[in-house]
Amino acid sequence: MSESESIKAIRRAAKRREYADRLKTQATDDLRENLRRAQAEGEPIARIAREARLSRQGVYELLAARSS
């Protein structure tokens, strides 16, 4: 029995989504590590937030969160 094109497309999209999720998790972990480094170097949270394109609250939340 041959699979329909829509089922094949669904599988491809699901694989791309899984890959994107892994990339996002890795990027978030990398960002968190660099936020911590900048904070340890004495950079102001306002500047860190601006450079990360986050709110200050967003920076604090990432710093408080555990790595994936």
Side-chain angles (χ1 to χ4, degrees), residues 16-52:
R16 284 195 325 269
R17 184 175 182 201
E18 289 172 0
Y19 179 67
D21 288 343
R22 285 194 308 272
L23 287 177
K24 183 176 180 182
T25 297
Q26 182 180 358
T28 301
D29 289 346
D30 292 347
L31 179 57
R32 183 181 299 107
E33 179 182 327
N34 286 298
L35 295 176
R36 287 185 177 137
R37 185 179 317 142
Q39 186 182 37
E41 291 172 354
E43 290 290 344
I45 292 295
R47 179 165 187 207
I48 294 170
R50 188 172 51 251
E51 297 297 331

PDB file of all heavy atoms in Angstrom, residues 16-52:
ATOM      1  N   ARG A  16      11.081  18.158  10.809  1.00  0.00           N
ATOM      2  CA  ARG A  16      11.623  19.530  10.825  1.00  0.00           C
ATOM      3  C   ARG A  16      11.306  20.210  12.149  1.00  0.00           C
ATOM      4  O   ARG A  16      12.143  20.928  12.705  1.00  0.00           O
ATOM      5  CB  ARG A  16      11.059  20.351   9.666  1.00  0.00           C
ATOM      6  CG  ARG A  16      11.671  20.016   8.320  1.00  0.00           C
ATOM      7  CD  ARG A  16      11.390  21.063   7.243  1.00  0.00           C
ATOM      8  NE  ARG A  16      10.102  21.710   7.317  1.00  0.00           N
ATOM      9  CZ  ARG A  16       8.994  21.284   6.691  1.00  0.00           C
ATOM     10  NH1 ARG A  16       9.022  20.200   5.941  1.00  0.00           N
ATOM     11  NH2 ARG A  16       7.866  21.956   6.799  1.00  0.00           N
ATOM     12  N   ARG A  17      10.109  19.963  12.660  1.00  0.00           N
ATOM     13  CA  ARG A  17       9.713  20.574  13.934  1.00  0.00           C
ATOM     14  C   ARG A  17      10.572  20.038  15.080  1.00  0.00           C
ATOM     15  O   ARG A  17      11.011  20.800  15.946  1.00  0.00           O
ATOM     16  CB  ARG A  17       8.244  20.303  14.200  1.00  0.00           C
ATOM     17  CG  ARG A  17       7.749  20.987  15.438  1.00  0.00           C
ATOM     18  CD  ARG A  17       6.268  20.803  15.595  1.00  0.00           C
ATOM     19  NE  ARG A  17       5.830  21.528  16.785  1.00  0.00           N
ATOM     20  CZ  ARG A  17       4.733  21.270  17.423  1.00  0.00           C
ATOM     21  NH1 ARG A  17       3.915  20.341  16.996  1.00  0.00           N
ATOM     22  NH2 ARG A  17       4.411  21.961  18.483  1.00  0.00           N
ATOM     23  N   GLU A  18      10.819  18.733  15.109  1.00  0.00           N
ATOM     24  CA  GLU A  18      11.683  18.157  16.136  1.00  0.00           C
ATOM     25  C   GLU A  18      13.085  18.759  16.074  1.00  0.00           C
ATOM     26  O   GLU A  18      13.686  19.079  17.098  1.00  0.00           O
ATOM     27  CB  GLU A  18      11.754  16.640  15.978  1.00  0.00           C
ATOM     28  CG  GLU A  18      10.483  15.919  16.361  1.00  0.00           C
ATOM     29  CD  GLU A  18      10.511  14.438  16.003  1.00  0.00           C
ATOM     30  OE1 GLU A  18      11.535  13.958  15.441  1.00  0.00           O
ATOM     31  OE2 GLU A  18       9.507  13.767  16.274  1.00  0.00           O
ATOM     32  N   TYR A  19      13.589  18.915  14.855  1.00  0.00           N
ATOM     33  CA  TYR A  19      14.908  19.504  14.669  1.00  0.00           C
ATOM     34  C   TYR A  19      14.925  20.954  15.158  1.00  0.00           C
ATOM     35  O   TYR A  19      15.850  21.376  15.856  1.00  0.00           O
ATOM     36  CB  TYR A  19      15.305  19.421  13.191  1.00  0.00           C
ATOM     37  CG  TYR A  19      16.646  20.018  12.882  1.00  0.00           C
ATOM     38  CD1 TYR A  19      17.820  19.440  13.364  1.00  0.00           C
ATOM     39  CD2 TYR A  19      16.755  21.165  12.093  1.00  0.00           C
ATOM     40  CE1 TYR A  19      19.063  19.980  13.076  1.00  0.00           C
ATOM     41  CE2 TYR A  19      17.988  21.711  11.807  1.00  0.00           C
ATOM     42  CZ  TYR A  19      19.134  21.122  12.291  1.00  0.00           C
ATOM     43  OH  TYR A  19      20.365  21.671  12.017  1.00  0.00           O
ATOM     44  N   ALA A  20      13.896  21.705  14.823  1.00  0.00           N
ATOM     45  CA  ALA A  20      13.801  23.099  15.264  1.00  0.00           C
ATOM     46  C   ALA A  20      13.731  23.191  16.783  1.00  0.00           C
ATOM     47  O   ALA A  20      14.338  24.084  17.387  1.00  0.00           O
ATOM     48  CB  ALA A  20      12.589  23.778  14.629  1.00  0.00           C
ATOM     49  N   ASP A  21      13.012  22.273  17.399  1.00  0.00           N
ATOM     50  CA  ASP A  21      12.930  22.251  18.865  1.00  0.00           C
ATOM     51  C   ASP A  21      14.302  22.003  19.480  1.00  0.00           C
ATOM     52  O   ASP A  21      14.678  22.646  20.467  1.00  0.00           O
ATOM     53  CB  ASP A  21      11.943  21.188  19.345  1.00  0.00           C
ATOM     54  CG  ASP A  21      10.494  21.551  19.096  1.00  0.00           C
ATOM     55  OD1 ASP A  21      10.196  22.751  18.846  1.00  0.00           O
ATOM     56  OD2 ASP A  21       9.643  20.634  19.145  1.00  0.00           O
ATOM     57  N   ARG A  22      15.061  21.074  18.892  1.00  0.00           N
ATOM     58  CA  ARG A  22      16.409  20.807  19.407  1.00  0.00           C
ATOM     59  C   ARG A  22      17.304  22.028  19.240  1.00  0.00           C
ATOM     60  O   ARG A  22      18.070  22.377  20.150  1.00  0.00           O
ATOM     61  CB  ARG A  22      17.028  19.599  18.701  1.00  0.00           C
ATOM     62  CG  ARG A  22      16.470  18.271  19.160  1.00  0.00           C
ATOM     63  CD  ARG A  22      17.318  17.087  18.697  1.00  0.00           C
ATOM     64  NE  ARG A  22      17.601  17.065  17.267  1.00  0.00           N
ATOM     65  CZ  ARG A  22      16.828  16.497  16.346  1.00  0.00           C
ATOM     66  NH1 ARG A  22      15.718  15.903  16.701  1.00  0.00           N
ATOM     67  NH2 ARG A  22      17.172  16.526  15.075  1.00  0.00           N
ATOM     68  N   LEU A  23      17.215  22.698  18.084  1.00  0.00           N
ATOM     69  CA  LEU A  23      18.008  23.905  17.859  1.00  0.00           C
ATOM     70  C   LEU A  23      17.647  25.008  18.854  1.00  0.00           C
ATOM     71  O   LEU A  23      18.521  25.687  19.389  1.00  0.00           O
ATOM     72  CB  LEU A  23      17.813  24.424  16.440  1.00  0.00           C
ATOM     73  CG  LEU A  23      18.478  23.640  15.320  1.00  0.00           C
ATOM     74  CD1 LEU A  23      18.124  24.266  13.970  1.00  0.00           C
ATOM     75  CD2 LEU A  23      19.978  23.593  15.501  1.00  0.00           C
ATOM     76  N   LYS A  24      16.347  25.173  19.102  1.00  0.00           N
ATOM     77  CA  LYS A  24      15.915  26.208  20.038  1.00  0.00           C
ATOM     78  C   LYS A  24      16.413  25.911  21.447  1.00  0.00           C
ATOM     79  O   LYS A  24      16.871  26.815  22.149  1.00  0.00           O
ATOM     80  CB  LYS A  24      14.394  26.326  20.032  1.00  0.00           C
ATOM     81  CG  LYS A  24      13.910  27.446  20.941  1.00  0.00           C
ATOM     82  CD  LYS A  24      12.421  27.634  20.874  1.00  0.00           C
ATOM     83  CE  LYS A  24      12.008  28.769  21.804  1.00  0.00           C
ATOM     84  NZ  LYS A  24      10.577  28.969  21.819  1.00  0.00           N
ATOM     85  N   THR A  25      16.344  24.656  21.856  1.00  0.00           N
ATOM     86  CA  THR A  25      16.831  24.279  23.185  1.00  0.00           C
ATOM     87  C   THR A  25      18.318  24.566  23.308  1.00  0.00           C
ATOM     88  O   THR A  25      18.768  25.145  24.305  1.00  0.00           O
ATOM     89  CB  THR A  25      16.547  22.787  23.455  1.00  0.00           C
ATOM     90  OG1 THR A  25      15.130  22.591  23.446  1.00  0.00           O
ATOM     91  CG2 THR A  25      17.111  22.338  24.792  1.00  0.00           C
ATOM     92  N   GLN A  26      19.081  24.195  22.295  1.00  0.00           N
ATOM     93  CA  GLN A  26      20.521  24.440  22.314  1.00  0.00           C
ATOM     94  C   GLN A  26      20.822  25.935  22.327  1.00  0.00           C
ATOM     95  O   GLN A  26      21.685  26.400  23.079  1.00  0.00           O
ATOM     96  CB  GLN A  26      21.186  23.782  21.119  1.00  0.00           C
ATOM     97  CG  GLN A  26      22.696  23.951  21.114  1.00  0.00           C
ATOM     98  CD  GLN A  26      23.342  23.284  19.922  1.00  0.00           C
ATOM     99  OE1 GLN A  26      22.684  22.654  19.101  1.00  0.00           O
ATOM    100  NE2 GLN A  26      24.648  23.432  19.798  1.00  0.00           N
ATOM    101  N   ALA A  27      20.114  26.705  21.514  1.00  0.00           N
ATOM    102  CA  ALA A  27      20.335  28.154  21.463  1.00  0.00           C
ATOM    103  C   ALA A  27      19.991  28.800  22.798  1.00  0.00           C
ATOM    104  O   ALA A  27      20.687  29.710  23.257  1.00  0.00           O
ATOM    105  CB  ALA A  27      19.513  28.772  20.338  1.00  0.00           C
ATOM    106  N   THR A  28      18.928  28.336  23.429  1.00  0.00           N
ATOM    107  CA  THR A  28      18.535  28.876  24.732  1.00  0.00           C
ATOM    108  C   THR A  28      19.590  28.562  25.780  1.00  0.00           C
ATOM    109  O   THR A  28      19.941  29.420  26.600  1.00  0.00           O
ATOM    110  CB  THR A  28      17.156  28.322  25.152  1.00  0.00           C
ATOM    111  OG1 THR A  28      16.198  28.699  24.155  1.00  0.00           O
ATOM    112  CG2 THR A  28      16.725  28.866  26.497  1.00  0.00           C
ATOM    113  N   ASP A  29      20.112  27.339  25.769  1.00  0.00           N
ATOM    114  CA  ASP A  29      21.176  26.978  26.707  1.00  0.00           C
ATOM    115  C   ASP A  29      22.424  27.827  26.474  1.00  0.00           C
ATOM    116  O   ASP A  29      23.055  28.295  27.430  1.00  0.00           O
ATOM    117  CB  ASP A  29      21.518  25.490  26.594  1.00  0.00           C
ATOM    118  CG  ASP A  29      20.429  24.585  27.137  1.00  0.00           C
ATOM    119  OD1 ASP A  29      19.518  25.066  27.853  1.00  0.00           O
ATOM    120  OD2 ASP A  29      20.475  23.375  26.834  1.00  0.00           O
ATOM    121  N   ASP A  30      22.778  28.043  25.203  1.00  0.00           N
ATOM    122  CA  ASP A  30      23.933  28.884  24.875  1.00  0.00           C
ATOM    123  C   ASP A  30      23.710  30.322  25.352  1.00  0.00           C
ATOM    124  O   ASP A  30      24.613  30.946  25.911  1.00  0.00           O
ATOM    125  CB  ASP A  30      24.203  28.887  23.371  1.00  0.00           C
ATOM    126  CG  ASP A  30      24.694  27.551  22.849  1.00  0.00           C
ATOM    127  OD1 ASP A  30      25.062  26.672  23.657  1.00  0.00           O
ATOM    128  OD2 ASP A  30      24.698  27.376  21.612  1.00  0.00           O
ATOM    129  N   LEU A  31      22.508  30.830  25.125  1.00  0.00           N
ATOM    130  CA  LEU A  31      22.197  32.190  25.556  1.00  0.00           C
ATOM    131  C   LEU A  31      22.291  32.300  27.070  1.00  0.00           C
ATOM    132  O   LEU A  31      22.896  33.244  27.594  1.00  0.00           O
ATOM    133  CB  LEU A  31      20.794  32.588  25.074  1.00  0.00           C
ATOM    134  CG  LEU A  31      20.307  33.975  25.475  1.00  0.00           C
ATOM    135  CD1 LEU A  31      21.261  35.064  24.990  1.00  0.00           C
ATOM    136  CD2 LEU A  31      18.893  34.206  24.953  1.00  0.00           C
ATOM    137  N   ARG A  32      21.721  31.335  27.780  1.00  0.00           N
ATOM    138  CA  ARG A  32      21.762  31.353  29.248  1.00  0.00           C
ATOM    139  C   ARG A  32      23.201  31.367  29.749  1.00  0.00           C
ATOM    140  O   ARG A  32      23.555  32.126  30.655  1.00  0.00           O
ATOM    141  CB  ARG A  32      21.021  30.135  29.802  1.00  0.00           C
ATOM    142  CG  ARG A  32      20.944  30.109  31.309  1.00  0.00           C
ATOM    143  CD  ARG A  32      20.221  28.876  31.840  1.00  0.00           C
ATOM    144  NE  ARG A  32      18.849  28.829  31.361  1.00  0.00           N
ATOM    145  CZ  ARG A  32      18.397  27.982  30.440  1.00  0.00           C
ATOM    146  NH1 ARG A  32      19.194  27.083  29.893  1.00  0.00           N
ATOM    147  NH2 ARG A  32      17.139  28.003  30.054  1.00  0.00           N
ATOM    148  N   GLU A  33      24.061  30.540  29.155  1.00  0.00           N
ATOM    149  CA  GLU A  33      25.468  30.486  29.553  1.00  0.00           C
ATOM    150  C   GLU A  33      26.145  31.841  29.333  1.00  0.00           C
ATOM    151  O   GLU A  33      26.890  32.325  30.187  1.00  0.00           O
ATOM    152  CB  GLU A  33      26.182  29.404  28.746  1.00  0.00           C
ATOM    153  CG  GLU A  33      27.652  29.275  29.050  1.00  0.00           C
ATOM    154  CD  GLU A  33      28.318  28.225  28.183  1.00  0.00           C
ATOM    155  OE1 GLU A  33      27.672  27.221  27.837  1.00  0.00           O
ATOM    156  OE2 GLU A  33      29.506  28.429  27.844  1.00  0.00           O
ATOM    157  N   ASN A  34      25.857  32.471  28.208  1.00  0.00           N
ATOM    158  CA  ASN A  34      26.467  33.782  27.919  1.00  0.00           C
ATOM    159  C   ASN A  34      25.888  34.886  28.789  1.00  0.00           C
ATOM    160  O   ASN A  34      26.607  35.827  29.153  1.00  0.00           O
ATOM    161  CB  ASN A  34      26.324  34.097  26.435  1.00  0.00           C
ATOM    162  CG  ASN A  34      27.278  33.258  25.612  1.00  0.00           C
ATOM    163  OD1 ASN A  34      28.487  33.368  25.766  1.00  0.00           O
ATOM    164  ND2 ASN A  34      26.747  32.396  24.764  1.00  0.00           N
ATOM    165  N   LEU A  35      24.611  34.792  29.143  1.00  0.00           N
ATOM    166  CA  LEU A  35      24.031  35.756  30.079  1.00  0.00           C
ATOM    167  C   LEU A  35      24.736  35.664  31.422  1.00  0.00           C
ATOM    168  O   LEU A  35      25.086  36.687  32.028  1.00  0.00           O
ATOM    169  CB  LEU A  35      22.534  35.498  30.279  1.00  0.00           C
ATOM    170  CG  LEU A  35      21.600  35.685  29.085  1.00  0.00           C
ATOM    171  CD1 LEU A  35      20.178  35.278  29.457  1.00  0.00           C
ATOM    172  CD2 LEU A  35      21.640  37.106  28.575  1.00  0.00           C
ATOM    173  N   ARG A  36      24.956  34.447  31.883  1.00  0.00           N
ATOM    174  CA  ARG A  36      25.647  34.246  33.172  1.00  0.00           C
ATOM    175  C   ARG A  36      27.067  34.782  33.124  1.00  0.00           C
ATOM    176  O   ARG A  36      27.537  35.403  34.080  1.00  0.00           O
ATOM    177  CB  ARG A  36      25.645  32.761  33.541  1.00  0.00           C
ATOM    178  CG  ARG A  36      24.303  32.273  33.983  1.00  0.00           C
ATOM    179  CD  ARG A  36      24.340  30.827  34.452  1.00  0.00           C
ATOM    180  NE  ARG A  36      23.005  30.460  34.921  1.00  0.00           N
ATOM    181  CZ  ARG A  36      22.417  29.316  34.646  1.00  0.00           C
ATOM    182  NH1 ARG A  36      23.025  28.387  33.940  1.00  0.00           N
ATOM    183  NH2 ARG A  36      21.204  29.064  35.105  1.00  0.00           N
ATOM    184  N   ARG A  37      27.742  34.537  32.002  1.00  0.00           N
ATOM    185  CA  ARG A  37      29.113  35.023  31.867  1.00  0.00           C
ATOM    186  C   ARG A  37      29.149  36.550  31.896  1.00  0.00           C
ATOM    187  O   ARG A  37      29.969  37.156  32.593  1.00  0.00           O
ATOM    188  CB  ARG A  37      29.731  34.507  30.570  1.00  0.00           C
ATOM    189  CG  ARG A  37      31.200  34.898  30.450  1.00  0.00           C
ATOM    190  CD  ARG A  37      31.869  34.386  29.190  1.00  0.00           C
ATOM    191  NE  ARG A  37      31.499  33.015  28.914  1.00  0.00           N
ATOM    192  CZ  ARG A  37      31.288  32.528  27.695  1.00  0.00           C
ATOM    193  NH1 ARG A  37      31.412  33.294  26.629  1.00  0.00           N
ATOM    194  NH2 ARG A  37      30.969  31.265  27.518  1.00  0.00           N
ATOM    195  N   ALA A  38      28.257  37.183  31.153  1.00  0.00           N
ATOM    196  CA  ALA A  38      28.216  38.648  31.125  1.00  0.00           C
ATOM    197  C   ALA A  38      27.895  39.214  32.499  1.00  0.00           C
ATOM    198  O   ALA A  38      28.500  40.205  32.924  1.00  0.00           O
ATOM    199  CB  ALA A  38      27.179  39.125  30.102  1.00  0.00           C
ATOM    200  N   GLN A  39      26.972  38.569  33.198  1.00  0.00           N
ATOM    201  CA  GLN A  39      26.627  39.033  34.548  1.00  0.00           C
ATOM    202  C   GLN A  39      27.837  38.891  35.479  1.00  0.00           C
ATOM    203  O   GLN A  39      28.131  39.803  36.257  1.00  0.00           O
ATOM    204  CB  GLN A  39      25.448  38.246  35.090  1.00  0.00           C
ATOM    205  CG  GLN A  39      24.951  38.763  36.430  1.00  0.00           C
ATOM    206  CD  GLN A  39      23.805  37.944  36.992  1.00  0.00           C
ATOM    207  OE1 GLN A  39      23.778  36.723  36.838  1.00  0.00           O
ATOM    208  NE2 GLN A  39      22.872  38.618  37.629  1.00  0.00           N
ATOM    209  N   ALA A  40      28.552  37.776  35.375  1.00  0.00           N
ATOM    210  CA  ALA A  40      29.741  37.561  36.207  1.00  0.00           C
ATOM    211  C   ALA A  40      30.833  38.578  35.893  1.00  0.00           C
ATOM    212  O   ALA A  40      31.621  38.933  36.775  1.00  0.00           O
ATOM    213  CB  ALA A  40      30.267  36.143  36.007  1.00  0.00           C
ATOM    214  N   GLU A  41      30.864  39.053  34.652  1.00  0.00           N
ATOM    215  CA  GLU A  41      31.847  40.071  34.252  1.00  0.00           C
ATOM    216  C   GLU A  41      31.425  41.466  34.682  1.00  0.00           C
ATOM    217  O   GLU A  41      32.147  42.430  34.441  1.00  0.00           O
ATOM    218  CB  GLU A  41      32.052  40.028  32.737  1.00  0.00           C
ATOM    219  CG  GLU A  41      32.749  38.774  32.256  1.00  0.00           C
ATOM    220  CD  GLU A  41      32.783  38.640  30.743  1.00  0.00           C
ATOM    221  OE1 GLU A  41      32.165  39.478  30.034  1.00  0.00           O
ATOM    222  OE2 GLU A  41      33.406  37.682  30.261  1.00  0.00           O
ATOM    223  N   GLY A  42      30.243  41.584  35.278  1.00  0.00           N
ATOM    224  CA  GLY A  42      29.798  42.872  35.785  1.00  0.00           C
ATOM    225  C   GLY A  42      28.977  43.711  34.829  1.00  0.00           C
ATOM    226  O   GLY A  42      28.724  44.887  35.102  1.00  0.00           O
ATOM    227  N   GLU A  43      28.570  43.131  33.724  1.00  0.00           N
ATOM    228  CA  GLU A  43      27.730  43.887  32.782  1.00  0.00           C
ATOM    229  C   GLU A  43      26.369  44.156  33.417  1.00  0.00           C
ATOM    230  O   GLU A  43      25.798  43.289  34.075  1.00  0.00           O
ATOM    231  CB  GLU A  43      27.522  43.100  31.483  1.00  0.00           C
ATOM    232  CG  GLU A  43      28.758  42.973  30.627  1.00  0.00           C
ATOM    233  CD  GLU A  43      29.183  44.281  29.987  1.00  0.00           C
ATOM    234  OE1 GLU A  43      28.384  45.244  29.945  1.00  0.00           O
ATOM    235  OE2 GLU A  43      30.324  44.330  29.516  1.00  0.00           O
ATOM    236  N   PRO A  44      25.832  45.362  33.226  1.00  0.00           N
ATOM    237  CA  PRO A  44      24.509  45.680  33.773  1.00  0.00           C
ATOM    238  C   PRO A  44      23.412  44.840  33.100  1.00  0.00           C
ATOM    239  O   PRO A  44      23.469  44.572  31.896  1.00  0.00           O
ATOM    240  CB  PRO A  44      24.313  47.161  33.428  1.00  0.00           C
ATOM    241  CG  PRO A  44      25.651  47.671  33.013  1.00  0.00           C
ATOM    242  CD  PRO A  44      26.454  46.498  32.554  1.00  0.00           C
ATOM    243  N   ILE A  45      22.435  44.436  33.891  1.00  0.00           N
ATOM    244  CA  ILE A  45      21.337  43.626  33.378  1.00  0.00           C
ATOM    245  C   ILE A  45      20.614  44.352  32.241  1.00  0.00           C
ATOM    246  O   ILE A  45      20.213  43.728  31.257  1.00  0.00           O
ATOM    247  CB  ILE A  45      20.350  43.239  34.498  1.00  0.00           C
ATOM    248  CG1 ILE A  45      21.021  42.256  35.479  1.00  0.00           C
ATOM    249  CG2 ILE A  45      19.078  42.622  33.938  1.00  0.00           C
ATOM    250  CD1 ILE A  45      21.391  40.906  34.889  1.00  0.00           C
ATOM    251  N   ALA A  46      20.472  45.655  32.341  1.00  0.00           N
ATOM    252  CA  ALA A  46      19.789  46.409  31.285  1.00  0.00           C
ATOM    253  C   ALA A  46      20.516  46.247  29.948  1.00  0.00           C
ATOM    254  O   ALA A  46      19.884  46.067  28.908  1.00  0.00           O
ATOM    255  CB  ALA A  46      19.684  47.882  31.659  1.00  0.00           C
ATOM    256  N   ARG A  47      21.837  46.298  29.978  1.00  0.00           N
ATOM    257  CA  ARG A  47      22.596  46.132  28.727  1.00  0.00           C
ATOM    258  C   ARG A  47      22.515  44.694  28.227  1.00  0.00           C
ATOM    259  O   ARG A  47      22.355  44.445  27.025  1.00  0.00           O
ATOM    260  CB  ARG A  47      24.049  46.525  28.920  1.00  0.00           C
ATOM    261  CG  ARG A  47      24.814  46.324  27.624  1.00  0.00           C
ATOM    262  CD  ARG A  47      26.131  46.980  27.595  1.00  0.00           C
ATOM    263  NE  ARG A  47      26.683  46.843  26.247  1.00  0.00           N
ATOM    264  CZ  ARG A  47      27.964  46.845  25.997  1.00  0.00           C
ATOM    265  NH1 ARG A  47      28.823  47.011  26.964  1.00  0.00           N
ATOM    266  NH2 ARG A  47      28.389  46.704  24.766  1.00  0.00           N
ATOM    267  N   ILE A  48      22.635  43.744  29.147  1.00  0.00           N
ATOM    268  CA  ILE A  48      22.522  42.332  28.768  1.00  0.00           C
ATOM    269  C   ILE A  48      21.172  42.094  28.098  1.00  0.00           C
ATOM    270  O   ILE A  48      21.085  41.446  27.051  1.00  0.00           O
ATOM    271  CB  ILE A  48      22.701  41.423  30.001  1.00  0.00           C
ATOM    272  CG1 ILE A  48      24.140  41.531  30.544  1.00  0.00           C
ATOM    273  CG2 ILE A  48      22.338  39.979  29.671  1.00  0.00           C
ATOM    274  CD1 ILE A  48      24.341  40.866  31.895  1.00  0.00           C
ATOM    275  N   ALA A  49      20.120  42.625  28.693  1.00  0.00           N
ATOM    276  CA  ALA A  49      18.769  42.450  28.146  1.00  0.00           C
ATOM    277  C   ALA A  49      18.668  43.065  26.754  1.00  0.00           C
ATOM    278  O   ALA A  49      18.117  42.446  25.833  1.00  0.00           O
ATOM    279  CB  ALA A  49      17.744  43.078  29.083  1.00  0.00           C
ATOM    280  N   ARG A  50      19.196  44.255  26.599  1.00  0.00           N
ATOM    281  CA  ARG A  50      19.142  44.937  25.303  1.00  0.00           C
ATOM    282  C   ARG A  50      19.870  44.118  24.232  1.00  0.00           C
ATOM    283  O   ARG A  50      19.352  43.898  23.139  1.00  0.00           O
ATOM    284  CB  ARG A  50      19.749  46.335  25.438  1.00  0.00           C
ATOM    285  CG  ARG A  50      19.594  47.203  24.230  1.00  0.00           C
ATOM    286  CD  ARG A  50      20.039  48.643  24.480  1.00  0.00           C
ATOM    287  NE  ARG A  50      21.375  48.761  25.066  1.00  0.00           N
ATOM    288  CZ  ARG A  50      21.631  49.137  26.335  1.00  0.00           C
ATOM    289  NH1 ARG A  50      20.637  49.422  27.165  1.00  0.00           N
ATOM    290  NH2 ARG A  50      22.863  49.236  26.776  1.00  0.00           N
ATOM    291  N   GLU A  51      21.057  43.634  24.562  1.00  0.00           N
ATOM    292  CA  GLU A  51      21.841  42.864  23.601  1.00  0.00           C
ATOM    293  C   GLU A  51      21.187  41.523  23.274  1.00  0.00           C
ATOM    294  O   GLU A  51      21.290  41.037  22.145  1.00  0.00           O
ATOM    295  CB  GLU A  51      23.265  42.638  24.122  1.00  0.00           C
ATOM    296  CG  GLU A  51      24.065  43.908  24.326  1.00  0.00           C
ATOM    297  CD  GLU A  51      24.307  44.700  23.047  1.00  0.00           C
ATOM    298  OE1 GLU A  51      24.374  44.099  21.959  1.00  0.00           O
ATOM    299  OE2 GLU A  51      24.433  45.934  23.142  1.00  0.00           O
ATOM    300  N   ALA A  52      20.509  40.938  24.259  1.00  0.00           N
ATOM    301  CA  ALA A  52      19.843  39.646  24.062  1.00  0.00           C
ATOM    302  C   ALA A  52      18.449  39.802  23.454  1.00  0.00           C
ATOM    303  O   ALA A  52      17.800  38.809  23.150  1.00  0.00           O
ATOM    304  CB  ALA A  52      19.748  38.906  25.388  1.00  0.00           C
TER     305      ALA A  52
END
